[in-house]
Amino acid sequence: MSDVIEDRVDAAVDAWLRWLPSWKPGTHRGRVRMCRRCTGSPVLAAAGIAGDVPHQVAHALTSRMQRIVDRAVDEFTERQLPGLHAELTGDALWDAGGFNPSEGLPPEFDGLDLDPEPEDGQPFLFTLAGLAEQAKPEPVLPRPPLTPEEKRRLRTEIELADQCAHDAGQRVCFALAAHRPRVQAAIERFVEPQIQAMLEELSRHLEPPQ
Ligand SMILES: [Zn+2]
């Protein structure tokens, strides 16, 4: 299992390194609010990414690592946790259909607010969140309630899935730490010059007229 995770982390770091040269400041114009995935993320600590790195750059990496953890949990659930697996696939059937704007996004945008901040007096004609709300299908059938025995088993399986997520997260961080020099060198090469240029541009505009 740990070899699989290591291989996936290697591949995800490679993919992130291929993406990074295309990054420009302001690639993502969505709402800037505290990101639950990145704030205090052990992934960023493992990668040696400091808090002043632009959020999109950090987020693209945390999302890729999150996908590895999610996939490990999904695989474990499918193999070992029949009750939870049935519950989740049942949920997927119940929730099937509709438009989910956050589905199938590249990892750079995964988990971010997609709609920009509304400006006063300029309402948007539509927002992605609004579209998703409209496209949500009416539930066809009420879900049958679980028996106490099913509930008990489900709780145990959820705990096991949590434990699996925790273990996978630790393995991801451990594997990622080995890539720290590559990650830091790439940020120095592709991100820092752009930040520097932006700051210089800004200070030129701020200079008082002669
Ligand atoms: Zn983030």
Side-chain angles (χ1 to χ4, degrees):
M1 176 106 163
S2 72
D3 286 350
V4 173
I5 285 193
E6 246 173 63
D7 291 348
R8 287 176 185 169
V9 169
D10 289 356
V13 172
D14 288 346
W16 181 80
L17 289 170
R18 280 196 301 274
W19 166 80
L20 196 63
S22 71
W23 176 80
K24 297 260 174 297
T27 312
H28 173 67
R29 297 205 168 275
R31 258 168 270 197
V32 183
R33 59 165 78 147
M34 190 104 123
C35 176
R36 281 203 293 179
R37 187 172 293 167
C38 295
T39 308
S41 167
V43 163
L44 296 179
I49 292 187
D52 58 354
V53 164
H55 177 230
Q56 182 89 55
V57 169
H59 192 87
L61 190 67
T62 48
S63 289
R64 285 194 155 91
M65 297 303 130
Q66 185 61 47
R67 286 182 179 193
I68 295 172
V69 173
D70 290 347
R71 190 168 158 196
V73 175
D74 284 349
E75 287 167 354
F76 176 71
T77 303
E78 200 175 337
R79 273 197 320 268
Q80 313 271 345
L81 308 175
L84 183 57
H85 182 62
E87 192 66 16
L88 293 174
T89 41
D91 262 349
L93 289 179
W94 255 272
D95 293 341
F99 163 68
N100 182 354
S102 56
E103 214 157 76
L105 285 176
E108 298 82 53
F109 298 99
D110 188 15
L112 290 179
D113 238 321
L114 297 174
D115 292 317
E117 204 84 65
E119 285 168 45
D120 277 347
Q122 294 187 319
F124 294 114
L125 291 178
F126 63 88
T127 60
L128 290 171
L131 284 181
E133 199 49 52
Q134 283 170 23
K136 214 179 223 171
E138 292 293 316
V140 186
L141 293 165
R143 299 205 57 172
L146 295 172
T147 65
E149 167 59 23
E150 282 171 333
K151 275 188 196 161
R152 195 192 53 76
R153 202 180 64 186
L154 202 55
R155 258 199 294 273
T156 312
E157 290 194 3
I158 289 171
E159 276 167 26
L160 290 170
D162 275 349
Q163 189 59 47
C164 171
H166 177 79
D167 294 349
Q170 281 194 330
R171 285 188 185 141
V172 161
C173 287
F174 191 74
L176 186 58
H179 296 282
R180 193 180 288 187
R182 290 208 295 158
V183 168
Q184 288 177 333
I187 288 177
E188 217 165 280
R189 179 166 168 207
F190 296 111
V191 178
E192 277 170 11
Q194 296 201 58
I195 305 287
Q196 208 48 48
M198 232 166 58
L199 291 176
E200 277 162 22
E201 179 72 18
L202 201 67
S203 65
R204 247 203 311 280
H205 285 301
L206 291 178
E207 264 166 31
Q210 300 294 320

